[in-house]
Amino acid sequence: MTKKNVLRIGVIGTGAIGSDHIRRCTQTLSGAQIVAVGDVNSDNARKAVSSYNINAKVYDSGHDLIKAEDVDVVMVTSWGQTHAEYVLSAIKAGKYVFCEKPLATTIKDCQEIIEAEQACGKRLVQVGFMRPYDKGYRELRNAIANGDIGMPLMVHAAHRNQSVGENYVTNMAIVDTLIHELDVLRWLLEDDYVSAQVIFPRSTRHTHAKLRDPQIILLETKSGIRIDVEVFVNCQYGYDIQCAVVGEKGIVSLPEPASVTMRSDAKLSKSILTDWKERFIDAYDIEVQDFIDSCLAGKLTGPSSWNGYVATVAAEACVKSQETGKVEPISLPNCPSFYK
Ligand code: NAI
Ligand code: ISE
């Protein structure tokens, strides 16, 4: 780290979220500087450098970026299937790494990461699950923990995107989209999943041949809580995240994002956001600032590789159920004390 205690970050993958994190580190947050960027599409990396007017070296290889002496920590924001190799390379270099969700796309890769990290003797990985940093979810968690609704019994949730492209296929509803709920709901309920089933309702005409949309995911937890999540990624009307927890004596629901109430043209209306970047902007800011501060303090406390592993185990059961139509078990080893 530099003497001034400014964290020098290298970013691998400068697409949608990579460039948004570069923007926030450069323009909004404190304590960090982007000194290196890399992308298999070097035009994307150069575009990020010019868009945010940063003094960063462009690397052709993510592994060279990780090894660079002036890169203190790494941010992995490339496609999901490339995360494991970069995270393992950062662990090998003894550098902190912020890895966007998913930690890895296979259980085996997640296991390799948690083993390598434990062998290092120190937490080096934070996974980009930002919802635990969202004010609304934090209020939900506090209300449940305070006993305000009694014992939680059921959760009704929805994850709706306005539309997705042709490269978004059926299993991505789980591994790319539902994975946020798989992480945040077990954090909210302080419970783990024991089974999953995916049901396909009638498909929307706004989808394409390789995507079953919408989908309903049914989860059961160890304590018997039943969860239903609707994933509907071509819902047309906006980006809409819903979560209601039903308890023995009340219901607590995720607040709607703030927006003015409009009286106009004989209508009373409120607008709905359309972009995940806007919906969770505060949560992303708090999450990445927490990563920066934790690296500077020498101790990570945000979502860990264990959280990434558990989400991938649950996601794999859901994907299996997409194929079998059956209730699929989810079994997890005990959480190592290293991650408690
Ligand atoms: P994107 O397609 O916009 O950008 C990904 C970038 O990574 C592209 O520029 C691509 O050329 C580059 N890339 C791909 N393979 C690479 C490799 N091997 N080495 C270096 N660069 C490589 O994708 P997006 O939407 O930015 O997603 C990136 C990751 O972030 C995904 O894992 C996604 O799930 C996650 N994500 C997380 C969000 C959240 O809410 N936390 C929101 C959006 C994405
Ligand atoms: C995207 O990758 C994200 O992580 C967004 O938060 C999510 O809402 C979207 O469905 C995913 O495709």
Side-chain angles (χ1 to χ4, degrees):
M1 255 155 251
T2 56
K3 285 197 188 104
K4 280 184 269 168
N5 251 8
V6 170
L7 194 69
R8 297 169 303 180
I9 304 181
V11 179
I12 303 173
T14 50
I17 200 150
S19 45
D20 205 39
H21 286 338
I22 291 173
R23 176 196 59 72
R24 61 172 40 85
C25 288
T26 308
Q27 300 176 352
T28 308
L29 309 182
S30 61
Q33 187 188 352
I34 307 296
V35 296
V37 290
D39 197 296
V40 279
N41 178 346
S42 55
D43 286 348
N44 282 359
R46 278 191 288 275
K47 192 170 157 217
V49 169
S50 63
S51 302
Y52 302 110
N53 195 20
I54 50 175
N55 186 14
K57 181 169 172 190
V58 175
Y59 284 80
D60 288 332
S61 150
H63 296 285
D64 288 346
L65 176 153
I66 292 167
K67 280 188 240 147
E69 274 192 14
D70 66 342
V71 169
D72 298 321
V73 306
V74 181
M75 198 172 250
V76 178
T77 47
S78 47
W79 294 323
Q81 64 272 28
T82 69
H83 292 179
E85 59 167 301
Y86 292 133
V87 172
L88 286 166
S89 179
I91 293 174
K92 197 167 166 207
K95 295 187 181 181
Y96 289 116
V97 52
F98 176 93
C99 175
E100 260 310 335
K101 42 70 50 174
L103 172 62
T105 47
T106 67
I107 296 176
K108 191 172 157 286
D109 281 347
C110 290
Q111 281 166 336
E112 205 178 325
I113 291 169
I114 54 184
E115 278 159 24
E117 192 180 29
Q118 289 179 82
C120 256
K122 182 180 179 190
R123 265 200 61 192
L124 290 174
V125 184
Q126 175 166 334
V127 181
F129 286 127
M130 76 299 182
R131 291 198 192 174
Y133 291 94
D134 175 71
K135 191 165 177 276
Y137 276 109
R138 290 181 94 92
E139 285 173 7
L140 280 193
R141 191 174 195 259
N142 287 341
I144 297 166
N146 281 341
D148 296 349
I149 57 163
M151 201 168 65
L153 310 171
M154 295 177 278
V155 178
H156 307 298
H159 188 151
R160 305 191 185 108
N161 289 66
Q162 191 168 27
S163 62
V164 292
E166 293 278 317
N167 56 352
Y168 186 111
V169 295
T170 295
N171 74 345
M172 290 176 73
I174 308 295
V175 298
D176 202 55
T177 297
L178 178 80
I179 199 133
H180 285 292
E181 274 76 18
L182 291 175
D183 176 66
V184 80
L185 296 179
R186 62 184 285 276
W187 169 84
L188 203 61
L189 301 167
E190 298 188 50
D191 205 347
D192 266 315
Y193 309 118
V194 292
S195 73
Q197 184 179 20
V198 179
I199 291 169
F200 296 112
R202 182 185 201 182
S203 270
T204 168
R205 286 174 297 174
H206 297 286
T207 191
H208 58 85
K210 292 188 174 153
L211 172 62
R212 302 279 300 263
D213 186 40
Q215 303 182 21
I216 297 169
I217 297 89
L218 304 174
L219 299 159
E220 185 180 5
T221 71
K222 271 187 183 162
S223 72
I225 301 171
R226 291 291 187 150
I227 299 168
D228 57 89
V229 187
E230 169 201 316
V231 172
F232 187 11
V233 294
N234 285 292
C235 80
Q236 306 296 299
Y237 71 86
Y239 182 67
D240 192 10
I241 303 299
Q242 300 290 325
C243 181
V245 183
V246 181
E248 290 169 303
K249 58 177 183 139
I251 301 175
V252 65
S253 304
L254 196 64
E256 295 292 338
S259 114
V260 293
T261 307
M262 179 94 71
R263 285 173 162 79
S264 166
D265 206 14
K267 286 195 187 86
L268 178 61
S269 63
K270 274 169 118 37
S271 31
I272 296 177
L273 293 170
T274 54
D275 187 349
W276 46 262
K277 285 195 212 78
E278 293 302 317
R279 169 64 180 84
F280 286 109
I281 191 164
D282 294 336
Y284 293 121
D285 285 349
I286 300 168
E287 167 198 47
V288 178
Q289 186 68 64
D290 181 48
F291 175 69
I292 295 168
D293 295 345
S294 301
C295 291
L296 290 170
K299 191 172 193 290
L300 292 189
T301 54
S304 68
S305 334
W306 180 258
N307 300 110
Y309 163 72
V310 173
T312 296
V313 169
E316 198 165 288
C318 295
V319 171
K320 188 162 181 210
S321 177
Q322 284 182 326
E323 289 151 15
T324 63
K326 293 187 182 146
V327 177
E328 296 294 342
I330 300 176
S331 67
L332 287 167
N334 287 331
C335 178
S337 55
F338 183 85
Y339 290 110
K340 278 182 183 152

